[in-house]
């Protein structure tokens, strides 16, 4: 269960989708003065080197963040531009040019930390022994012990610890590796428990789109659970390649419960452009579904 390392995949097309949406959600939620509790169930190491051995082995960032860096800022949709600018903050001197591919890539803990305010709190879960040690060391550099908690625990147990939060405002990001088949059922169970304990929280769930029955079934289960709770949801997917010759991860999605009301319109203009920018074959596509109650 400890074989997965996100360092191999940092900055790929799935990270582009996940982190662009995550930034848009966090920016919206921090417009209100009331404190926000943010929970990252599978935080990883927090920071990654795109010029390191892991990332160089897979080369996935070349078809993700690197392609966006090559594009002039004013041509990018707003939520993607915000994402690229945040990544560039971790790479001093980086600019929108072909020679400035970032060397440092922020994972979701550092993406979120950059957006939170003094009154907000960040809870980071990571069970992998190597990644949790790296995460703790990376976070320690921020000297933000009062704001950020790093827990070497199973993130699927986070709901009962921290929901509902005292401020009654929370964002939960869940993006496990899904290397273990049981992760799919555990994600659904986490959302079910979360909605039972704190129905008004914002839940952002990343999932891979791969030829596996559990992967196909998960979005349907999430929709059913959310509809039963009477809450609005939004589901965005990005496919960069498909077909029998497509290797690696061909597509992924983000399922958001209680999404910001501005997010759907933003994604309507963003997703077609991501298909153009990141598509690897003629089968590249996107979907955007939602419901409101």
């Amino acid at each position: 269960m400890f074989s997965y390392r996100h360092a191999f995949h940092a900055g790929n097309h799935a990270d582009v989708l996940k982190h662009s949406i995550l930034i848009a959600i966090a920016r919206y939620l921090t417009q209100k003065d009331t404190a926000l509790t943010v929970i990252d169930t599978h935080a990883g190491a927090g920071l990654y080197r795109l010029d390191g051995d892991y990332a160089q082995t897979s080369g996935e960032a070349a078809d993700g963040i690197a392609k966006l860096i090559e594009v002039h800022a004013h041509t990018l949709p707003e939520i993607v531009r915000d994402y690229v600018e945040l990544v560039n903050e971790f790479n001093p001197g980086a600019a929108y040019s072909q020679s400035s591919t970032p060397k440092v890539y922020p994972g979701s803990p550092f993406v979120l930390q950059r957006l939170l305010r003094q009154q907000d709190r960040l809870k980071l879960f990571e069970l992998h022994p190597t990644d949790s040690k790296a995460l703790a060391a990376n976070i320690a550099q921020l000297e933000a012990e009062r704001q950020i908690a790093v827990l070497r625990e199973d993130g699927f147990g986070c709901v009962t610890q921290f929901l509902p939060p005292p401020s009654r405002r929370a964002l939960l990001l869940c993006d496990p590796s899904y290397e273990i088949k049981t992760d799919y059922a555990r994600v659904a169970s986490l959302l079910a428990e979360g909605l039972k304990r704190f129905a008004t929280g914002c839940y952002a769930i990343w999932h891979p789109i791969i030829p596996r029955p559990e992967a196909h079934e998960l979005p349907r289960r999430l929709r059913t659970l959310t509809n039963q709770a009477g809450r609005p949801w939004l589901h965005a997917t990005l496919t960069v390649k498909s077909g029998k010759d497509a290797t690696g991860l061909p597509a992924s999605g983000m399922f958001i419960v209680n999404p910001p009301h501005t997010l759907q319109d933003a994604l309507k203009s963003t997703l077609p452009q991501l298909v153009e920018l990141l598509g690897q074959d003629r089968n590249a596509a996107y979907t955007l579904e939602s419901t409101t109650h």
Side-chain angles (χ1 to χ4, degrees):
M1 67 179 290
F2 292 135
S3 62
Y4 179 85
R5 303 294 298 281
H6 191 69
F8 287 104
H9 313 289
N12 68 0
H13 63 86
D15 267 359
V16 171
L17 179 70
K18 174 174 65 180
H19 291 151
S20 295
I21 291 176
L22 185 62
I23 291 168
I25 294 173
R27 285 199 188 284
Y28 178 87
L29 293 177
T30 51
Q31 289 176 12
K32 197 177 208 178
D33 289 339
T34 311
L36 178 69
T37 294
V38 182
I39 302 167
D40 190 340
T41 66
H42 296 77
L47 287 172
Y48 305 96
R49 294 288 307 195
L50 295 186
D51 59 350
D53 291 342
Y54 290 131
Q56 291 288 314
T57 297
S58 66
E60 291 182 23
D63 291 318
I65 180 62
K67 284 190 173 181
L68 302 181
I69 292 290
E70 297 173 0
V71 180
H72 289 293
H74 70 274
T75 65
L76 291 171
E78 182 179 359
I79 67 172
V80 177
R81 185 168 63 248
D82 286 349
Y83 158 70
V84 172
E85 288 175 350
L86 189 146
V87 173
N88 276 339
E89 289 177 13
F90 288 83
N91 295 271
Y96 294 95
S97 68
Q98 293 184 344
S99 61
S100 63
T101 299
K103 292 181 173 59
V104 177
Y105 186 84
S108 50
F110 278 78
V111 168
L112 290 164
Q113 186 274 332
R114 280 292 170 107
L115 300 172
L116 298 186
R117 307 150 305 171
Q118 187 175 0
Q119 66 266 39
D120 302 324
R121 295 294 179 265
L122 180 58
K123 314 294 184 184
L124 304 173
F125 286 80
E126 181 51 54
L127 195 56
H128 190 288
T130 305
D131 280 354
S132 62
K133 186 176 180 180
L135 176 65
N138 286 329
I139 293 296
Q141 297 178 45
L142 299 173
E143 298 181 351
E145 291 84 0
R146 292 186 62 187
Q147 183 182 46
I148 306 173
V150 178
L151 301 100
R152 187 175 169 181
E153 300 176 23
D154 185 352
F156 284 119
C158 69
V159 171
T160 53
Q161 288 191 48
F162 294 115
L163 295 182
S167 66
R168 310 296 296 186
R169 300 185 71 235
L171 164 61
L172 183 147
L173 171 66
C174 181
D175 62 335
S177 69
Y178 295 96
E179 280 204 323
I180 312 166
K181 286 185 178 181
T182 53
D183 277 1
Y184 294 92
R186 297 190 77 191
V187 168
S189 296
L190 177 142
L191 180 60
E193 181 65 23
L195 288 171
K196 185 167 68 175
R197 296 178 66 89
F198 187 50
T200 57
C202 182
Y203 300 85
I205 298 171
W206 178 86
H207 65 94
I209 299 174
I210 54 177
R212 176 182 275 185
E214 298 88 353
H216 180 75
E217 178 71 7
L218 180 60
R220 190 193 69 78
R221 292 185 68 181
L222 299 178
R223 285 195 297 269
T224 299
L225 287 167
T226 310
N227 287 336
Q228 287 173 346
R231 307 307 303 177
W233 55 265
L234 182 67
H235 186 214
T237 72
L238 176 66
T239 300
V240 298
K241 57 187 174 181
S242 66
K244 57 183 174 60
D245 297 326
T247 57
L249 178 68
S252 68
M254 283 287 282
F255 188 92
I256 301 104
V257 181
N258 297 316
H261 71 88
T262 54
L263 187 59
Q264 184 169 359
D265 283 344
L267 288 172
K268 280 180 181 177
S269 59
T270 298
L271 290 170
Q273 292 187 58
L274 283 181
V275 169
E276 279 190 42
L277 291 165
L278 302 182
Q280 298 177 30
D281 64 25
R282 60 186 178 84
N283 299 309
Y286 76 91
T287 64
L288 182 60
E289 304 172 289
S290 67
T291 189
T292 55
H293 297 271

